[in-house]
Amino acid sequence: MIRFENVSLEYTPGRFALHDVSFSQPAGAFTFLTGHSGAGKSSLLKLIARLEKPTAGFISIDTIDYDTLKPRHEPLLRQQMGIVFQDNQLLNDRSVFDNVALPLIIGGYRYNDIKKRVAAALERVGLASKAFELPIRLSGGEQQRVGIARAVVAKPKVLLADEPTGNLDAQISAEIMQLLMQFSASGVTVLVATHDQGLLETFDFPQLTLHGGKLVDIHNSSQATAHTQNTWQEQPSSQPAARESRIKRRQTSSRHGE
Amino acid sequence: MANRRTSETALTNASLAAGPKWTYTHRGYALAQSFRQLRQRKFASFITLMVFGISLALPAIILFSAGSLAKLGNHNIEQESLTVYLSMQVNDLDGASLAQQLLLREGIDRTSYVSRDEALAMFKEQSDIGDALAALGNNPLPGAIIVYPDVDMLGAVGLKQLANSLAMSPSIDRVQFDFRWVKRLQAVLSLARLVGWVLAGFLTLSALLVIGNTIRLELLRKQTELDVSRLLGAKRSFLVRPLVYTGALYGFLGGLVACVIALITISWIKTPADQLSGLYQSAFQLEMPTASQCFTVLLIATCLGVLGSIVSLARPSNHLLPFGTKPV
C-alpha cells in the first residue's frame, strides 16, 4: 500500500510542486494519476521513487517508512520498483536483452536466473524474437514494451509509469495499457501518470486528479465497489497528536533548510 | 501446438541473446563496459592511449637505463687508477717492496709496480719519440706504482684523500690523477639523473591528468546510462566501477605503448651509445630492458590509470550523487 500523509514538495520557497497531498492506494491496484502539465504528476511519482524528498509530510510503501529510510537503502527501495518513462530511457548501444537484464545485474541475480527472467519478460511483452536487436531499430511501441519488460523483469511490488503512451498512437497505447493491466492483475501496484483523456475514458480505473500541486479529486472506477482492492481513500485530515507534532517539526526544519 | 512451439523458439532465442556469463556479474559488467568504451570509440581511445604512452615513454626509458647509467658512474671511477711516480733514487727492489706495502693501506685494492725499464719499453712502444730517448744514453723515466683504489673508497673525495696521503711518502715523487675529470663526470651524471627524474615526474603527472580528463569526459558521455542505472537502484560502486576499470585499462594499454616506444628507442640508440663508449675505452653498455622492468612499467601505468580515474571521480557529479542532492 502506498500512503501519502500531508505531503508537500516545495522546489523554491512559496512554489509548491505538491501541496498537502494525502491518499492511500491499496496494494495491487491499478490507478491513473491525471492532471494538466505541471499539475504535479511527475513530482508525485518522483516522491514515490524517492528521486525527490518531501519538504513536509510522510510517505510509506507497505512497511517502508520513507521518513526513516537511510540514504544507503534508497537504491534497494528502487530495486523493488519498476519505472516506465515516456521516452523509454533505453540504452541504444546494447541489445534488447541486455537492456532488460540491467535491473537484474544491478540486483546481483545469477546468470541462469537472468536468462530465464529476461526471456520470460520479453515473451510477456511479445518481443522474445527481438532479443538480439538494438532498441534503436525497434518501433516506438516496441521500444516502450522493452521499457516495460525492463521495469517488470525483477518482479517489482510497485510499477510507476510516467506518460507511458505519450509518444504513441491510440492502437499502440491500448496495447501498452493492456500490458500494464496484466501486471496489475498479477498483484503489482500500478500507478500511471497521464493526461490522455482518451485513455482515461477507454479504461475505467480509479483516478487521482491533481491541479496546481493539490489533489483535487479521487474518482473510483465503476467496478471499484466490486473490487475492494481497487478502492481509493483520501486520508483523514485529522492526525494523531504525535504524528502532527512530527509533521510540524519536519516543516520547521525544512524551512530552515535542514 | 504450433503456437506453443513458436513461443518456445522465441524464448530460446531470447536466452541465446545473452552475452558471456562473466558479463552479468557486477565486476564483469564493469569490465565489459570498459572494453565496450574502447571498442566503440576507437579513434578517441587510440589518441588517448598514444598521449598516455608517449608521456610515459621517457620515464620508462629512464627507468630502463637507470641501471646502466649508475654502472657508468661507478665503472669509470673503478677503472681509473692513481699513478704514483717514485723518486729516481728508488731502485726496482725497493719499488716492488713499496708496492706490496701500499697494499696494506686502507682503500687500496691492488697495486702494480712498473719498473724503470718497463716504463721505457712502454714509452717506446706507445710514443713516436721513443727512439729519441735512446740518444740520452740513460733511462730518464722513474719507476712507478699503479694504485687501483678500493671500491669502498670510490668517489672524488676519497681518491683525493688517498692521493694526498700517498704523496707524503719520501720515496714518492708525484701522484697523478685527474680529479677534475671524475668530479665533472659525476656532476654531469647527477645533473642528468635529476633532470631526468624531474622530467619523468612532470610527464607522469601529465599522464595522470590525461587519464583524469578522459574519465571525466566519459562520465559526461555516459550520463544517460548512469541516470538509468541509478533509477533502477544501482549503488555508487556499481556506477563508478566501469569508469575506474576504464582508467585501469587505459593505464595498462598506455603502459604497453610506453614499453614498446621505450624498447624501440633503446634498441635504436644502443649501437651508437656502445660505439661512443668504446671510443672512451669504457666498458659501459646500454642494456635492453628485462621482463621484470617492463612488468614494473605496466604495473605503475595501471596504478596511474586507477589513480587518475579515482581523482577524477572524487569531484562530485550530478550523475553519481544520490537523487535529490546537489554537488557542493
Side-chain angles (χ1 to χ4, degrees):
Chain A
M1 176 182 282
I2 300 172
R3 291 176 68 92
F4 270 53
E5 294 178 25
N6 305 95
V7 172
S8 293
L9 178 62
E10 194 178 7
Y11 285 121
T12 53
R15 281 191 62 196
F16 286 90
L18 288 173
H19 190 64
D20 201 25
V21 174
S22 299
F23 67 85
S24 66
Q25 178 184 6
F30 186 108
T31 310
F32 283 120
L33 188 60
T34 71
H36 297 293
S37 293
K41 303 189 294 293
S42 296
S43 297
L44 194 143
L45 293 183
K46 282 180 183 174
L47 286 174
I48 296 174
R50 196 64 169 174
L51 307 182
E52 297 284 354
K53 289 170 187 168
T55 43
F58 293 90
I59 304 169
S60 65
I61 291 184
D62 296 337
T63 56
I64 305 167
D65 184 354
Y66 280 26
D67 203 36
T68 56
L69 188 68
K70 292 176 180 170
R72 69 169 186 275
H73 293 143
E74 287 175 9
L76 298 174
L77 172 78
R78 261 174 235 124
Q79 285 175 21
Q80 295 175 34
M81 289 181 186
I83 306 176
V84 181
F85 308 92
Q86 182 178 356
D87 57 352
N88 309 314
Q89 298 269 14
L90 299 176
L91 305 175
N92 287 320
D93 63 343
R94 62 199 71 177
S95 68
V96 165
F97 184 98
D98 284 348
N99 266 280
V100 178
L102 188 56
L104 301 176
I105 297 171
I106 290 170
Y109 285 75
R110 290 176 182 278
Y111 180 66
N112 288 334
D113 281 347
I114 291 175
K115 280 209 301 187
K116 279 179 198 163
R117 281 183 180 238
V118 174
L122 287 176
E123 170 71 7
R124 201 159 174 191
V125 299
L127 288 174
S129 60
K130 308 266 180 159
F132 288 100
E133 299 280 342
L134 292 176
I136 205 161
R137 295 195 180 141
L138 303 180
S139 68
E142 286 174 329
Q143 287 183 13
Q144 193 58 284
R145 282 191 277 159
V146 175
I148 291 171
R150 185 180 64 186
V152 300
V153 72
K155 297 183 180 167
K157 291 178 183 171
V158 177
L159 181 61
L160 307 174
D162 192 2
E163 305 280 3
T165 59
N167 295 330
L168 306 174
D169 61 37
Q171 188 189 339
I172 305 293
S173 296
E175 288 176 17
I176 297 297
M177 288 306 300
Q178 291 291 345
L179 268 176
L180 295 175
M181 285 158 59
Q182 284 176 26
F183 292 116
S184 175
S186 62
V188 180
T189 307
V190 180
L191 190 55
V192 179
T194 183
H195 62 270
D196 184 343
Q197 278 303 318
L199 213 61
L200 296 171
E201 286 162 13
T202 309
F203 296 95
D204 185 23
F205 285 107
Q207 296 173 18
L208 288 172
T209 307
L210 289 165
H211 182 75
K214 291 183 178 174
L215 186 60
V216 292
D217 186 31
I218 295 181
H219 166 73
N220 282 321
S221 68
S222 55
Q223 301 104 334
T225 46
H227 304 282
T228 49
Q229 65 165 15
N230 252 10
T231 305
W232 278 80
Q233 291 179 334
E234 190 166 7
Q235 283 296 112
S237 57
S238 59
Q239 301 289 336
R243 179 148 283 183
E244 265 189 8
S245 68
R246 276 165 61 191
I247 294 171
K248 280 178 187 169
R249 205 166 55 239
R250 180 72 175 273
Q251 285 171 333
T252 310
S253 66
S254 68
R255 281 194 203 105
H256 289 289
E258 289 173 8
Chain B
M1 187 71 178
N3 279 347
R4 191 177 161 188
R5 197 171 295 149
T6 311
S7 175
E8 281 172 0
T9 310
L11 272 170
T12 310
N13 275 342
S15 291
L16 285 174
K21 186 176 179 179
W22 64 270
T23 60
Y24 291 90
T25 60
H26 280 194
R27 286 187 169 78
Y29 175 83
L31 194 59
Q33 294 313 305
S34 304
F35 282 121
R36 185 197 297 272
Q37 198 276 335
L38 286 180
R39 204 171 58 239
Q40 284 179 340
R41 297 165 58 83
K42 291 187 185 75
F43 185 70
S45 300
F46 173 76
I47 296 292
T48 305
L49 287 178
M50 290 310 288
V51 171
F52 188 73
I54 291 168
S55 300
L56 281 185
L58 182 64
I61 290 170
I62 291 173
L63 184 72
F64 290 157
S65 27
S68 299
L69 287 171
K71 280 180 193 166
L72 172 70
N74 292 338
H75 187 76
N76 275 281
I77 296 168
E78 196 180 334
Q79 288 297 305
E80 290 305 326
S81 55
L82 293 90
T83 306
V84 177
Y85 293 102
L86 304 175
S87 59
M88 295 296 281
Q89 290 77 25
V90 178
N91 58 34
D92 285 349
L93 198 61
D94 291 341
S97 170
L98 184 59
Q100 289 298 315
Q101 286 172 22
L102 288 180
L103 274 177
L104 302 173
R105 297 180 66 153
E106 196 180 348
I108 294 175
D109 184 40
R110 60 195 166 94
T111 59
S112 171
Y113 176 67
V114 181
S115 68
R116 292 179 65 191
D117 293 339
E118 285 170 340
L120 183 62
M122 285 165 65
F123 187 81
K124 279 182 177 174
E125 189 183 313
Q126 292 176 8
S127 171
D128 293 336
I129 58 167
D131 292 337
L133 289 178
L136 294 174
N138 60 346
N139 183 0
L141 298 178
I145 300 171
I146 313 297
V147 175
Y148 297 94
D150 195 312
V151 177
D152 293 339
M153 290 207 55
L154 288 182
V157 176
L159 285 171
K160 179 108 179 159
Q161 286 171 352
L162 177 64
N164 287 341
S165 68
L166 290 173
M168 292 173 73
S169 168
S171 311
I172 293 171
D173 192 33
R174 193 157 55 92
V175 178
Q176 186 176 306
F177 186 78
D178 192 353
F179 295 109
R180 284 176 302 174
W181 185 85
V182 173
K183 282 182 178 173
R184 282 174 190 162
L185 176 69
Q186 289 192 331
V188 167
L189 285 176
S190 62
L191 181 65
R193 262 197 293 269
L194 183 65
V195 170
W197 286 119
V198 168
L199 269 177
F202 278 124
L203 288 169
T204 306
L205 186 64
S206 70
L208 194 73
L209 294 175
V210 166
I211 290 286
N213 188 50
T214 305
I215 295 301
R216 199 74 197 172
L217 290 174
E218 183 64 7
L219 175 69
L220 295 175
R221 200 183 68 80
K222 287 168 75 92
Q223 56 182 288
T224 306
E225 182 183 340
L226 292 171
D227 288 345
V228 168
S229 299
R230 283 199 302 166
L231 286 169
L232 297 175
K235 293 179 182 173
R236 184 183 155 84
S237 58
F238 185 88
L239 303 172
V240 160
R241 192 177 286 121
L243 296 165
V244 175
Y245 282 13
T246 302
L249 205 56
Y250 271 126
F252 179 77
L253 295 175
L256 271 182
V257 172
C259 280
V260 169
I261 292 173
L263 282 169
I264 292 171
T265 307
I266 290 175
S267 65
W268 273 349
I269 63 173
K270 180 176 167 49
T271 308
D274 290 350
Q275 284 172 351
L276 183 68
S277 166
L279 291 174
Y280 284 92
Q281 282 86 42
S282 169
F284 165 77
Q285 282 204 321
L286 194 58
E287 291 166 1
M288 292 301 285
T290 60
S292 66
Q293 283 176 320
C294 291
F295 178 76
T296 305
V297 168
L298 287 178
L299 190 68
I300 291 171
T302 308
C303 290
L304 277 175
V306 173
L307 187 66
S309 49
I310 287 173
V311 168
S312 170
L313 295 170
R315 192 172 164 229
S317 163
N318 271 333
H319 311 293
L320 296 175
L321 288 170
F323 287 103
T325 54
K326 301 261 185 281
V328 180

